[in-house]
């Protein structure tokens, strides 16, 4: 339980992970939206469109929102506090 809590609460993603999450969000929502529209059109039923669209949105949410470890493959190394001030003098 502690590892799950640390993953959810203490999870970080880097800048490359943010770019990947943005790309995945766009692609997944477009793909699920197109599939939902096609199935709804072929079946002539709006409920198929709504359910597939909502399911795709939920799957996209699960793929993008948690800080999965593959979103933190390129972490930034930050300077220690006050370390940058000494170099300016």
């Amino acid at each position: 339980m502690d590892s799950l809590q640390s993953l959810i609460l203490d999870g970080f993603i880097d800048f490359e992970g943010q770019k990947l999450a943005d790309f995945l969000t766009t692609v997944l929502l477009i793909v699920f939206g197109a599939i939902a529209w096609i199935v709804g059109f072929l079946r002539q039923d709006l409920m198929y469109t709504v359910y597939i669209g909502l399911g795709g949105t939920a799957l996209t949410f699960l793929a993008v929102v948690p800080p999965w470890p593959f979103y933190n493959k390129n972490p930034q190394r930050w300077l220690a506090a006050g370390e940058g001030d000494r170099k300016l003098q």
Side-chain angles (χ1 to χ4, degrees):
M1 188 66 170
D2 289 332
S3 62
L4 178 64
Q5 184 178 5
S6 68
L7 176 68
I8 293 173
L9 297 178
D10 298 332
F12 297 102
I13 66 173
D14 57 28
F15 294 117
E16 293 298 320
Q18 288 176 357
K19 190 164 48 168
L20 176 62
D22 181 49
F23 177 74
L24 283 176
T25 301
T26 303
V27 169
L28 289 174
L29 288 177
I30 288 172
V31 167
F32 282 119
I35 291 171
W37 186 84
I38 291 168
V39 170
F41 181 77
L42 292 176
R43 301 287 299 179
Q44 291 294 304
D45 192 351
L46 188 60
M47 292 308 292
Y48 283 104
T49 305
V50 171
Y51 288 143
I52 293 172
L54 288 175
T57 302
L59 287 175
T60 302
F61 179 85
L62 288 175
V64 173
V65 171
W68 300 110
F70 62 88
Y71 289 135
N72 195 20
K73 286 186 177 180
N74 304 306
Q76 292 289 323
R77 234 184 111 226
W78 299 96
L79 294 175
E83 189 175 319
D85 294 339
R86 281 184 262 148
K87 292 182 181 180
L88 293 176
Q89 296 175 351

